[in-house]
């Protein structure tokens, strides 16, 4: 569980907003935005609807800023649409920060818990600078640190070979957890969606234990039963490996595709807490739908055996 790069860490000196400023209103619709949708007509239409709030993942900022030479132009153009409604924009914490919060407390995170008040205030400052066409403290601060931040990302979160090795480590566990019959039918394309979603859920509950995560006994079961951030992250991670087992195994997957999958996973986890994940990527839409099906299942994920 490596901590991903958080470009939003540049917000560390931002003032904490007054209590209540960042609370979600129950009547408002929440949308998480895939990086490819920030300049879309679909986002412009949502911005025009006053009952919609927007959740931005730090993975999106990382993708916008990964070019050392063109990051500012890319970021400004990508934030242009949201700059019309800065007070309706919220920035989510990094994946590692969310996982660590749950593992430290044993308490499942809610949507409010995913939002960083300091980083939200910071990104709203960037949105004001974009709207006003100026370079203030937000962009100037990023300019001073973007090179080091991107180097950190390339050495960690964007390390293709490291990401591939992380998923490959799950293959033996999942091959042991899934029945031979299931794996054979999976490769033949003869597994229905309900069974697939359920078996991935069982797999997600089998790849870690309380001891492996350093948790008190029983905490993992409670977090999974509560459909926690950890449970969602595990389901998506196991689903990625299961999907690749269907086509011959992770050994045959290009390393850069694993990194792309890791980035998509952050959008998907954050999006699963929102009313909608705004994306045009068909594969991401499919995973989003299946994850929501898994979260709606009545029985705890660790109950039941592998399908034959």
């Amino acid at each position: 569980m490596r901590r991903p790069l958080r470009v939003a860490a540049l917000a560390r000196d931002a003032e904490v907003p007054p209590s209540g400023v960042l609370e979600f209103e129950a009547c408002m619709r929440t949308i998480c935005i895939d990086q490819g949708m920030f300049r879309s007509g679909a986002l412009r239409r949502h911005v025009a609807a006053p009952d919609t709030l927007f959740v931005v993942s730090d993975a999106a900022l990382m993708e916008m800023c990964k070019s050392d030479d063109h990051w500012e132009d890319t970021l400004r153009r990508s934030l242009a649409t949201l700059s019309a409604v800065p007070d309706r924009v919220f920035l989510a914490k990094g994946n590692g920060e969310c996982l660590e919060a749950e593992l430290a407390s044993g308490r499942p995170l809610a949507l409010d818990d995913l939002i960083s008040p300091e980083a939200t205030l910071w990104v709203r400052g960037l949105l004001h600078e974009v709207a006003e066409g100026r370079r203030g403290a937000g962009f100037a601060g990023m300019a001073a640190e973007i090179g080091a931040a991107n180097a950190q990302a390339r050495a960690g979160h964007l390390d293709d070979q490291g990401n591939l090795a992380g998923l490959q480590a799950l293959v033996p566990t999942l091959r042991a957890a899934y029945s031979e019959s299931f794996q054979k039918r999976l490769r033949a394309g003869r597994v229905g969606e309900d069974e697939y979603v359920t078996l991935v859920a069982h797999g997600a509950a089998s790849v870690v234990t309380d001891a492996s995560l350093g948790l008190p006994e029983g905490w993992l079961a409670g977090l999974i039963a509560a459909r926690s951030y950890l449970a969602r992250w595990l389901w998506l991670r196991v689903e990625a490996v299961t999907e690749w087992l269907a086509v011959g195994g992770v050994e045959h997957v290009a390393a850069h595709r694993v990194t792309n999958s890791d980035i998509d996973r952050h959008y998907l986890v954050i999006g699963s807490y929102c009313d909608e994940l705004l994306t045009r990527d068909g594969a991401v839409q499919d995973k989003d739908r299946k994850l929501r099906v898994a979260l709606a299942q009545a029985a705890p994920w660790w109950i039941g055996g592998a399908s034959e």
Side-chain angles (χ1 to χ4, degrees):
M1 297 182 188
R2 288 181 299 161
R3 180 189 299 273
L5 167 74
R6 294 192 61 236
V7 174
L10 294 167
R12 61 183 178 273
D13 297 324
E15 178 184 355
V16 177
S19 176
V21 171
L22 299 182
E23 293 179 358
F24 290 100
E25 297 182 29
C27 61
M28 301 288 273
R29 178 174 173 79
T30 55
I31 294 178
C32 177
I33 313 166
D34 182 281
Q35 196 273 337
M37 299 300 291
F38 279 83
R39 306 180 198 179
S40 68
L43 180 58
R44 288 192 291 274
R45 290 190 290 273
H46 283 300
V47 164
D51 62 344
T52 304
L53 302 176
F54 303 96
V55 179
V56 176
S57 73
D58 72 340
L61 293 182
M62 180 188 69
E63 288 202 272
M64 294 176 198
C65 298
K66 62 186 178 183
S67 168
D68 290 343
D69 297 324
H70 306 294
W71 68 269
E72 184 168 354
D73 179 62
T74 300
L75 184 59
R76 284 182 178 276
R77 287 187 289 121
S78 295
L79 295 181
T81 298
L82 289 180
S83 71
V85 290
D87 292 342
R88 286 159 52 195
V89 176
F90 299 79
L91 190 63
K93 298 173 183 176
N95 182 63
E97 189 174 354
C98 292
L99 289 170
E100 288 174 7
E102 283 195 340
L103 294 176
S105 68
R107 180 181 66 84
L109 301 183
L111 178 57
D112 285 359
D113 300 316
L114 305 186
I115 302 305
S116 168
E118 298 87 352
T120 292
L121 189 67
W122 170 76
V123 83
R124 289 179 180 181
L126 291 182
L127 291 169
H128 282 293
E129 292 182 32
V130 170
E132 297 162 9
R134 62 183 177 86
R135 195 190 220 207
F139 276 100
M142 290 189 71
E145 299 192 36
I146 197 69
N150 282 341
Q152 178 189 348
R154 287 189 288 269
H157 194 56
L158 300 179
D159 175 10
D160 293 342
Q161 293 301 323
N163 292 332
L164 176 60
L167 279 194
Q168 285 176 332
L170 294 180
V171 172
T173 300
L174 290 177
R175 282 184 169 150
Y178 292 148
S179 69
E180 287 295 331
S181 171
F182 171 73
Q183 293 181 60
K184 185 179 295 185
R185 289 185 293 107
L186 181 67
R187 291 190 294 270
R190 294 190 289 108
V191 175
E193 181 171 301
D194 288 345
E195 181 187 10
Y196 180 85
V197 168
T198 300
L199 265 292
V200 170
H202 291 314
S206 72
V207 296
V208 291
T209 64
D210 288 315
S212 71
L213 294 175
L215 298 177
E217 185 176 354
W219 276 31
L220 178 61
L223 286 170
I224 290 179
R227 305 303 189 262
S228 62
Y229 189 100
L230 173 65
R232 299 165 198 238
W233 181 82
L234 284 172
W235 191 94
L236 288 164
R237 189 168 172 83
V238 167
E239 195 277 335
V241 178
T242 305
E243 182 180 56
W244 289 326
L245 286 177
V247 294
V250 179
E251 298 88 349
H252 305 290
V253 176
H256 73 274
R257 289 186 58 202
V258 177
T259 296
N260 291 340
S261 177
D262 279 359
I263 293 171
D264 289 343
R265 191 176 305 125
H266 191 43
Y267 294 123
L268 285 158
V269 176
I270 300 296
S272 71
Y273 282 87
C274 299
D275 294 301
E276 179 183 351
L277 172 59
L278 187 64
T279 180
R280 63 167 62 96
D281 186 317
V284 173
Q285 290 173 343
D286 185 62
K287 291 177 185 291
D288 177 55
R289 178 177 53 77
K290 289 176 179 174
L291 175 59
R292 292 177 192 271
V293 169
L295 294 172
Q297 289 180 334
W301 289 359
W302 63 89
I303 292 178
S307 172
E308 295 297 327

